[in-house]
């Protein structure tokens, strides 16, 4: 009998822009990959809101997806306001917890869950019976770890896609149980949903989602720049120049694919539009890609209605759509788009030039509230990528590394060395490793920040210190790379190292002494009793 997996979570905040807004397509991809790994769905509880959870309210329309075992597919079991759906989700949460208690569930896949609310009972039951848990969602996965759950793989959501998440889930579970698994490249079910044209392409336009999905291309460019600085490899500078020119193509392809959701056809349209949009920079690429995605959607449907042969449909939809959108950008929009990108970069540079130290301090002090409040992915990350378009590094990218990644690393390291209780060290260790090794998953510090106001204040102060040093040293850098690579990709290796070390040391010392003081007080209270 196949291993039975419970899929729980929600359309999320950041996840909403990376697949969460289309629950059926997201779930279809997971189910296809699970089937390839010999896994079966035993339970499902997925809350789908019509907006990002970062902006959702109790009155936001939402739906609850459950699992229909007889039909073998996800079905909507409740609809209404988010508040009403959450109430239904809590009842389903108890049912899944009972299934776990009865041994009917073997593992959990988690996406942007609410371990303190609508997923509490399932998470606690999974922790009790040591079920393997894999999932995404920085904040939720960090809290799940603090509850003692057996997390075999965890990550944030930025930069992921439905397929990469699904493959990661299936891979981690199959490795845990030593099951044979080969990722499925095609997803017939998802293709059916896309071709059906169930929603307007205009509703799928999301600049934030396009920029975040394009992030690997920008990081690749930064890595090439770093390697080109090694003696004997200066020839890679030409490769770096070529990659800068390719960035509009990358964002155009992502935009076209996300807007049209027609996979290979939209990719071809995006490439054609992107090549013609190069002179407009990444803003031109985004406009060209969005245009290609919208046009390919309608041309594809029209060609199908005209009963064109499938090959002709792909050729016309992909090629013609890309040409129309690309030529519009090439002849009309490129100069305006290029000027807009230059204007944003000049604005950042002007603000920083007035007072680098104060600009860095303010950016550092605000970056934790920004990511906690959902502003980071909506505003800061796109600006970082615009800055990186010409030089592969940015002012806000450097603040990201020192203010978020290094501060999180300092907090988690302090909880490894001097935890308030032994369980916290086990929770902190994976987060510290990911912070240092991959330059991401800053949410690993959340459990410690939210449980102690002094650690929280220390995180903000440490980020402010690091940001101020970034301004003083005039550093331009990036996050989302291993910590030892970050300084190499920057314009000031020594300055970036000092800034990173200072913010990490500051957050480490504050957390260390707060933990020691808490332990001393607890011991004193115990003796007095």
């Amino acid at each position: 009998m196949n291993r039975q997996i419970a899929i729980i979570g929600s359309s999320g905040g950041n996840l909403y822009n990376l697949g969460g807004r289309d629950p059926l397509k997201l779930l279809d991809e997971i189910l296809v990959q699970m089937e390839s790994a010999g896994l079966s769905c035993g339970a499902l509880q997925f809350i789908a809101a019509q907006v990002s959870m970062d902006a959702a309210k109790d009155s936001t329309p939402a739906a609850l997806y459950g699992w229909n075992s007889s039909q073998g597919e996800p079905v909507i079991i409740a609809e209404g306001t988010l508040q009403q759906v959450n109430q239904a989700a809590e009842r389903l949460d108890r049912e899944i917890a009972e299934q776990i208690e009865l041994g009917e569930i073997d593992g959990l896949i988690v996406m942007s869950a609410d371990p303190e609310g609508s997923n509490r009972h399932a998470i606690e039951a999974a922790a009790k019976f040591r079920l393997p848990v894999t999932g995404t969602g920085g904040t939720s996965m960090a809290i799940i770890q603090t509850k003692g759950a057996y997390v075999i793989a965890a990550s944030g959501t930025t930069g992921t896609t439905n397929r990469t998440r699904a493959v990661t889930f299936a891979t981690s579970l199959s490795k845990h149980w030593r099951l044979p698994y080969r990722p499925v490249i095609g997803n017939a079910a998802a293709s059916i949903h896309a071709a059906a044209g169930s929603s307007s392409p205009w509703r799928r336009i999301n600049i934030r989602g396009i920029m975040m999905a394009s992030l690997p291309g920008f990081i690749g460019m930064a890595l090439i720049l770093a390697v080109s600085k090694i003696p004997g490899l200066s020839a890679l500078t030409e490769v770096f120049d070529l990659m800068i020119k390719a960035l509009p193509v990358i964002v155009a392809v992502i935009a076209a694919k996300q807007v049209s959701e027609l996979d290979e056809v939209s990719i071809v349209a995006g490439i054609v539009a992107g090549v013609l949009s190069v002179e407009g920079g990444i803003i031109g690429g985004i406009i060209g890609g969005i245009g290609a995605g919208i046009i390919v959607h309608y041309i594809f449907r029209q060609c199908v209605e005209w009963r064109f042969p499938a090959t002709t449909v792909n050729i016309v939809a992909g090629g013609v759509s890309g040409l129309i959108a690309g030529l519009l950008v090439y002849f009309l929009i490129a100069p305006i788009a290029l000027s807009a990108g230059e204007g944003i970069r000049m604005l950042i540079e002007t603000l920083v030039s007035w007072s680098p130290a104060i600009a860095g301090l303010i950016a550092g002090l605000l970056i934790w509230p920004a990511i906690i409040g959902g502003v980071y992915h909506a505003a800061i990350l796109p600006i970082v990528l615009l800055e990186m378009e010409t030089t592969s590094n940015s002012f806000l990218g450097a603040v990201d590394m020192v203010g978020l990644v290094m501060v999180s690393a300092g907090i988690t390291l302090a909880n490894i060395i001097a935890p308030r209780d032994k369980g916290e060290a086990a929770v902190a260790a994976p987060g510290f490793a990911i912070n240092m090794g991959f330059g991401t998953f800053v949410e690993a510090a959340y459990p410690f920040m939210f449980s102690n106001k002094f650690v929280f204040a220390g995180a903000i102060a440490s980020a402010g210190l690091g940001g101020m040093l970034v301004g003083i040293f005039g550093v331009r850098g990036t996050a989302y790379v291993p910590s030892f690579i970050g300084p190499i990709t920057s314009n000031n290796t020594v300055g970036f190292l000092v800034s990173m070390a200072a913010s990490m040391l500051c957050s480490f010392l504050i957390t260390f002494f707060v933990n020691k003081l808490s332990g001393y007080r607890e011991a004193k209270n115990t003796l007095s009793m």
Side-chain angles (χ1 to χ4, degrees), residues 269-308:
I271 292 172
V272 174
V275 170
L276 292 171
S277 303
V278 166
E279 296 300 322
I282 63 173
I283 292 180
I286 290 173
I287 295 171
I290 290 174
I294 292 171
I295 297 170
V296 76
H297 173 87
Y298 291 109
I299 289 183
F300 184 92
R301 290 182 59 183
Q302 192 61 58
C303 288
V304 171
E305 290 179 6
W306 286 341
R307 299 184 180 180
F308 281 16

Side-chain angles (χ1 to χ4, degrees), residues 47-357:
I47 301 169
Q50 290 191 9
V51 299
S52 167
M53 289 296 184
D54 291 335
K57 301 177 181 178
D58 287 344
S59 58
T60 298
L64 174 64
Y65 286 81
W67 183 249
N68 187 311
S69 56
S70 60
Q71 297 179 15
E73 63 182 23
V75 293
I76 295 177
I77 61 175
E79 289 184 283
T81 65
L82 183 58
Q83 184 178 29
Q84 293 169 335
V85 167
N86 279 335
Q87 292 172 354
E90 289 176 7
R91 292 192 293 270
L92 184 54
D93 176 47
R94 292 179 184 273
E95 293 177 11
I96 295 174
E98 290 178 5
Q99 286 183 267
I100 295 173
E101 295 275 353
L102 295 172
E104 297 174 355
I105 300 296
D106 301 300
L108 259 61
I109 289 176
V110 181
M111 293 172 290
S112 299
D114 181 8
E116 301 285 7
S118 56
N119 302 116
R120 180 169 65 90
H121 295 95
I123 295 299
E124 289 176 353
K128 177 181 177 182
F129 290 91
R130 296 290 290 169
L131 266 59
V133 178
T134 179
T136 58
T139 304
S140 60
M141 292 307 297
I143 296 174
I144 288 170
Q145 287 177 314
T146 65
K147 290 182 173 291
Y150 180 36
V151 177
I152 58 174
S155 74
T157 308
T158 301
T160 64
T161 65
N162 285 344
R163 181 152 300 156
T164 58
R165 282 191 299 275
V167 170
T168 300
F169 298 155
T171 299
S172 58
L173 291 171
S174 62
K175 283 187 176 181
H176 173 74
W177 287 308
R178 297 183 180 179
L179 301 173
Y181 166 60
R182 178 175 293 179
V184 178
I185 302 303
N187 185 341
S191 298
I192 290 171
H193 285 299
S198 57
S199 60
S200 168
W202 297 93
R203 295 182 60 186
R204 293 193 290 267
I205 297 174
N206 187 283
I207 304 300
R208 177 171 64 171
I210 293 167
M211 297 290 266
M212 287 189 290
S214 304
L215 180 62
F218 289 82
I219 298 302
M221 179 183 66
L223 293 176
I224 286 293
L225 178 63
V227 174
S228 68
K229 295 180 180 179
I230 299 175
L233 297 178
S234 58
L236 287 175
T237 302
E238 296 180 5
V239 176
F240 170 74
D241 295 335
L242 181 62
M243 289 191 70
I244 287 181
K245 296 178 181 178
L247 291 178
V249 181
I250 293 174
V251 296
V253 171
I254 296 296
K257 187 175 185 300
Q258 287 188 3
V259 171
S260 74
E261 295 189 332
L262 286 171
D263 294 329
E264 288 82 359
V265 179
S266 58
I267 290 172
V268 172
I271 292 172
V272 174
V275 170
L276 292 171
S277 303
V278 166
E279 296 300 322
I282 63 173
I283 292 180
I286 290 173
I287 295 171
I290 290 174
I294 292 171
I295 297 170
V296 76
H297 173 87
Y298 291 109
I299 289 183
F300 184 92
R301 290 182 59 183
Q302 192 61 58
C303 288
V304 171
E305 290 179 6
W306 286 341
R307 299 184 180 180
F308 281 16
T311 302
T312 305
V313 172
N314 287 354
I315 291 172
V316 173
V320 174
S321 302
L323 280 172
I324 294 173
L327 289 172
L328 284 172
V329 174
Y330 184 85
F331 285 111
L332 299 176
I333 302 173
I336 300 172
L338 187 63
S339 298
E342 289 294 336
I344 293 172
R345 286 188 289 272
M346 287 181 62
L347 177 61
I348 296 294
E349 291 298 326
T350 300
L351 292 174
V352 173
S353 66
W354 284 346
S355 179

